[in-house]
Amino acid sequence: MSYVDQVIEEVIAKNPAEPEFHQAVREVLESLRVVVEANEEQFKKDALLERLVNPERQFKFRVPWVDDNGQVHVNTGYRVQFNSAIGPYKGGLRLHPSVNLGIIKFLGFEQIFKNSLTGLPIGGGKGGSDFDPKGKSDREIMAFCQSFMTELCKYIGADTDVPAGDIGTGAREIGYMFGQYKRIRGLYEGVLTGKGLSYGGSLARTEATGYGLLYLTDEMLKCNGKSLEGATVAVSGAGNVAIYATEKAQQLGAKVVTCSDSTGWIYDKDGIDVALLKEVKEVKRARLTEYAAARPSAEYHEGKGVWSIPCDVALPCATQNELDLEDAKTLVANGCFAVAEGANMPTTMEATEYLQENNVLFAPGKAANAGGVATSALEMSQNSERLSWTFEEVDGKLKNIMVNIFHNLDDAAKRYGMEGNYVAGANIAGFEKVVDAMNAQGIV
Ligand code: NDP
Ligand code: 2IT
């Protein structure tokens, strides 16, 4: 049995009931086969892949909090510190009822390679809780965030582990968590990113994941003789990533005709009204039915369906495994020529393979959505030097980072004879730097 197959088998046997983690490991290791085979003896002797797929450490803790009626609830909190070869652990905190250890491990594992691709000194980590922020009052959100941070604060720090936002964690939650960290630890430091501008946040961090997705997509299209100008774009999600992906796609001359949330989706033939979407989702925290009610050109449908709308470019920006083989077939049949992942692992492996076989340009999330964490690292730099850069400065650096990431993927794929396979390119380019740093630091 090959070394790669052996490690995949061990991951499945040692971590049962963690299907998303298995999927993420399989996706990465499958495309590293060529690199591993070229170094098989040494990697095996050093147990390099075993060290890569086992987190350095993981925390699981109780999060008790009191609701507005005096009822106590108990959620589970997680932080997985996956790999610190190239820098302090860095990665978001997901608050969603579906969160479990396997989900956090898949996200933490992806984060190692993503953070490496940014070219910045950040290791991989992820955390979160099965807490559901939906329908909670501000006071309940604060109670949860304070309890969560009361435990988490023991394991993190500006030079140790720097969490940030993800699904369900935005500026409000980061603010409450920052306040509690400062209160308990007595340290005013850049321990979290995605902070508000009045207390150490970076301009352009809110926009960064969505904007970065479009900077990379734009470069990928240009290098393949295509353009966003005049393109019809389907976006899924209606959160932080989806909103700013839509905004930048429109600035680059595309027409975005869809968005979705966990209960339904919108088809807006005139193009999504971003100001209205922000009002509904960021200010009112309401359902997309409110968007449809305020916009005569929009249709609202229950359930799932954005990939049924004909588009040139598809940008999945909601959650994992939201674009399956059937969706991929529909996209290809409708003439879609590019898919770029704003979310983490939104496309199933079968769907990714089908898209690639049908010559659809495919940018994997660990490259395409790296603009968020890259700008988080820029926020860390600003906190360290106690300065704030202008929007233009941060946005300019973000754009350069995304263009460089694309060329790194492209070059890595070409070096291994897989031109145009950006999935392999991302995994190889991300892996090479981590391996170099791990080898230099000995068996740790
Ligand atoms: P938000 O919480 O802001 O938005 C998530 C959106 O996706 C919401 O519209 C939500 O619907 C929808 N959604 C979430 N879970 C599901 C589900 N199980 N089924 C259907 N729809 C769902 O999160 P973000 O925009 O920050 O994150 C979106 C994706 O991007 C995630 O995969 C995240 O890991 C990834 N990402 C985020 C980064 C960031 O900087 N924020 C950086 C890189 C990647 P509803 O409104 O109903 O909750
Ligand atoms: O998935 C991700 O890269 C994020 N949620 C952002 C992490 C960060 O530290 O900014």
Side-chain angles (χ1 to χ4, degrees), residues 221 226-227 230-234 306-314 326-339 354-355 358-361:
L221 295 192
K226 308 253 189 227
S227 169
T232 299
V233 176
V306 291
W307 313 126
S308 66
I309 299 297
C311 66
D312 301 308
V313 176
E326 285 311 306
D327 299 321
K329 287 182 178 168
T330 307
L331 287 171
V332 169
N334 285 338
C336 169
F337 59 72
V339 174
Y354 184 84
L355 292 167
N358 285 277
N359 300 318
V360 175
L361 300 170

Side-chain angles (χ1 to χ4, degrees), residues 1-12 26 29-30 33 36-37 40 49:
M1 188 190 292
S2 76
Y3 183 35
V4 163
D5 289 325
Q6 176 204 318
V7 173
I8 292 174
E9 271 200 6
E10 280 168 15
V11 164
I12 295 168
R26 191 188 292 280
L29 294 193
E30 288 290 355
R33 253 178 220 284
V36 174
E37 276 162 15
E40 181 137 345
L49 296 184

Side-chain angles (χ1 to χ4, degrees), residues 125-289:
K126 200 84 189 190
S129 173
D130 57 0
F131 174 74
D132 186 358
K134 278 210 181 68
K136 304 290 188 296
S137 69
D138 259 6
R139 196 210 59 79
E140 289 172 331
I141 296 284
M142 183 171 75
F144 170 82
C145 289
Q146 291 183 340
S147 180
F148 180 76
M149 183 53 83
T150 300
E151 185 63 27
L152 184 69
C153 76
K154 300 168 189 169
Y155 317 118
I156 62 176
D159 294 313
T160 323
D161 181 353
V162 183
D166 194 80
I167 291 178
T169 307
R172 174 180 59 170
E173 291 73 21
I174 293 291
Y176 293 145
M177 290 183 197
F178 184 79
Q180 185 74 348
Y181 178 87
K182 188 186 63 171
R183 183 184 188 197
I184 299 181
R185 296 283 300 267
L187 285 172
Y188 202 110
E189 60 169 6
V191 66
L192 292 161
T193 59
K195 300 186 291 299
L197 298 178
S198 57
Y199 62 96
S202 174
L203 285 161
R205 175 62 188 91
T206 305
E207 295 83 355
T209 311
Y211 278 22
L213 171 67
L214 269 296
Y215 293 145
L216 185 136
T217 304
D218 192 38
E219 188 67 11
M220 174 173 80
L221 295 192
K222 279 184 189 150
C223 291
N224 286 280
K226 308 253 189 227
S227 169
L228 278 164
E229 184 71 50
T232 299
V233 176
V235 169
S236 66
N240 174 264
V241 181
I243 288 172
Y244 293 95
T246 300
E247 184 167 282
K248 184 53 75 178
Q250 292 181 345
Q251 286 171 13
L252 293 173
K255 184 174 171 184
V256 178
V257 292
T258 63
C259 64
S260 64
D261 66 14
S262 50
T263 51
W265 60 285
I266 294 282
Y267 170 55
D268 189 338
K269 62 177 174 12
D270 288 352
I272 296 291
D273 177 340
V274 178
L276 176 60
L277 186 60
K278 285 182 186 174
E279 174 69 21
V280 170
K281 283 291 170 184
E282 293 184 337
V283 181
K284 294 187 181 161
R285 299 179 188 273
R287 314 308 312 163
L288 284 174
T289 41

